[in-house]
Amino acid sequence: MFKKVMIHTKRSIKFTVLFMLSAFFIIGAIAFLYKPTYSVFIEGEQVGYTEDKATLQHKINNYIENGEEENENIAFVQVNNLPNYKLCLLKKNIVTNDEEIFEKVKETGIVYYRYYAIVENGEEKVYVSNFEEAEQVVKGLKEKNSANLEKITIVEKYEENLQGLITAEEGIAKLYTEPVKKVNITKTTGNVNIRSTTSAKKIDIGISLIRPISGVITSRFGALSKIRTSAHTGLDIAASSGTPIVAAASGTVIFSGRKGNYGNMVVIAHSNGVQTYYAHCSKLYVTAGTQVTQGQTIAAVGSTGNSTGPHLHLEVRINGVAYNPQNYVY
């Protein structure tokens, strides 16, 4: 009996050793013939292989943030089809194609440029490279006491095509008109004072804003459109009708109701002269005089007023002047 056990044990040890040697041989053969690689897919279609996923993705991310041109006006690149990676074993004689993959990603890239328009009475007149240049134009017109100064605004632009940019000096020369006394007219509608003055400049508002909704930005501050008579004074964020809208910050509701092209709208007054507008709503859940807290549901996304689809029109106004909401949120 003891001899049988010993024989069985020796056979088990022998089998285990042979199994380990076989496994080691197989692993060695695989390591010799194959290498760990990532198969890369774009929109479900395999476009190649990369050994270094991190480096390739870093290159793509850098392209999205900065583009490839040496142009200070590039704001970002919108890439619609980012790659997906799947780990696999690839024969060592198969060549990876990182550059080809990168070029395929770039094919879907849309470059957006940032620059500034000097707008006179709702019409874009000249374009300059940065906000400092735009300020110099306004300052120059002020020093010359230009007659059209009250109609001049600065609008931050994000567009696919970069307009012909000129210097501040050229802008002043082009926009200057002889001094004439003008009356600054402010349009008041109901209980809400609506002014079309806009500013691309970021100033410290002393409060922190949160996103009223999550969604896709469909129209940026300062954009022009066939459905508008002047530059866009806010930010449009598309979302499904009925999506809850929350207060970007605590404050007091000073308006809740129907307001012309804005449709159903809520206006909240915060500290430091800051107001936030929430327009085109389908439902309003608060009334004027209500104290609201940051994050409290105040309305629902809709498409009332001058609107082509369900979205939230968000404005940030400081002492009546509309500022780019993306300076503070999104």
Side-chain angles (χ1 to χ4, degrees):
M1 182 67 180
F2 178 74
K3 288 183 178 181
K4 289 183 178 181
V5 172
M6 290 297 295
I7 292 171
H8 179 73
T9 301
K10 288 180 179 179
R11 287 177 178 174
S12 297
I13 294 172
K14 184 177 180 180
F15 176 78
T16 301
V17 172
L18 288 173
F19 176 79
M20 292 179 65
L21 288 173
S22 298
F24 181 77
F25 176 77
I26 293 171
I27 293 171
I30 292 174
F32 179 77
L33 296 173
Y34 296 88
K35 57 185 175 181
T37 313
Y38 289 94
S39 183
V40 185
F41 298 84
I42 295 179
E43 285 194 307
E45 178 185 352
Q46 186 177 5
V47 294
Y49 301 95
T50 179
E51 291 185 56
D52 192 344
K53 177 182 75 170
T55 299
L56 176 58
Q57 190 60 48
H58 176 75
K59 185 175 183 179
I60 293 171
N61 292 344
N62 186 65
Y63 168 67
I64 292 172
E65 293 177 8
N66 305 303
E68 284 197 315
E69 303 175 36
E70 290 294 328
N71 191 322
E72 65 172 339
N73 293 102
I74 292 180
F76 60 90
V77 180
Q78 178 180 316
V79 174
N80 295 322
N81 301 315
L82 289 172
N84 293 313
Y85 304 91
K86 185 177 181 180
L87 184 63
C88 62
L89 289 175
L90 194 68
K91 288 185 177 180
K92 286 190 174 181
N93 61 349
I94 297 180
V95 180
T96 54
N97 58 329
D98 294 50
E99 283 301 320
E100 185 178 338
I101 295 170
F102 180 62
E103 290 299 321
K104 286 186 177 294
V105 171
K106 285 172 55 181
E107 288 176 5
T108 67
I110 303 173
V111 178
Y112 282 86
Y113 297 91
R114 177 178 55 240
Y115 56 98
Y116 294 83
I118 309 298
V119 180
E120 179 184 356
N121 203 22
E123 181 182 355
E124 295 180 5
K125 291 290 189 178
V126 299
Y127 304 97
V128 294
S129 181
N130 51 60
F131 185 71
E132 289 69 26
E133 290 269 338
E135 277 190 317
Q136 289 179 32
V137 173
V138 175
K139 182 179 179 182
L141 294 175
K142 185 176 181 179
E143 290 174 349
K144 290 176 174 288
N145 195 26
S146 178
N148 59 348
L149 181 61
E150 294 296 332
K151 299 178 181 180
I152 296 292
T153 56
I154 300 171
V155 174
E156 186 178 37
K157 302 282 291 181
Y158 290 86
E159 300 289 346
E160 295 180 39
N161 299 312
L162 185 61
Q163 302 288 346
L165 306 179
I166 62 176
T167 65
E169 290 74 16
E170 292 170 330
I172 294 169
K174 187 171 182 178
L175 293 173
Y176 173 73
T177 57
E178 291 292 332
V180 178
K181 287 187 177 181
K182 295 287 182 180
V183 178
N184 185 21
I185 299 175
T186 299
K187 180 182 177 183
T188 303
T189 308
N191 298 322
V192 181
N193 190 19
I194 306 294
R195 292 200 289 168
S196 61
T197 306
T198 60
S199 175
K201 186 176 182 180
K202 179 179 180 179
I203 64 173
D204 184 11
I205 61 175
I207 59 174
S208 177
L209 304 183
I210 63 172
R211 296 184 179 191
I213 64 169
S214 295
V216 178
I217 296 174
T218 56
S219 181
R220 297 179 186 273
F221 180 82
L224 296 177
S225 170
K226 293 180 181 179
I227 68 170
R228 302 188 191 98
T229 58
S230 60
H232 197 206
T233 53
L235 194 68
D236 287 349
I237 307 102
S240 301
S241 184
T243 299
I245 301 169
V246 303
S250 300
T252 303
V253 177
I254 61 172
F255 179 83
S256 180
R258 187 90 180 186
K259 185 60 64 177
N261 290 338
Y262 284 91
N264 294 330
M265 179 173 68
V266 173
V267 180
I268 301 176
H270 312 283
S271 57
N272 304 323
V274 179
Q275 295 179 349
T276 49
Y277 288 43
Y278 311 81
H280 305 309
C281 305
S282 60
K283 295 180 180 179
L284 305 176
Y285 300 135
V286 292
T287 57
T290 304
Q291 296 286 329
V292 295
T293 58
Q294 187 176 58
Q296 178 179 336
T297 300
I298 57 172
V301 170
S303 186
T304 56
N306 188 11
S307 170
T308 58
H311 71 282
L312 168 65
H313 171 85
L314 173 68
E315 290 189 18
V316 175
R317 290 182 176 253
I318 306 167
N319 297 322
V321 178
Y323 284 74
N324 186 353
Q326 286 193 275
N327 287 335
Y328 309 103
V329 68
Y330 294 100

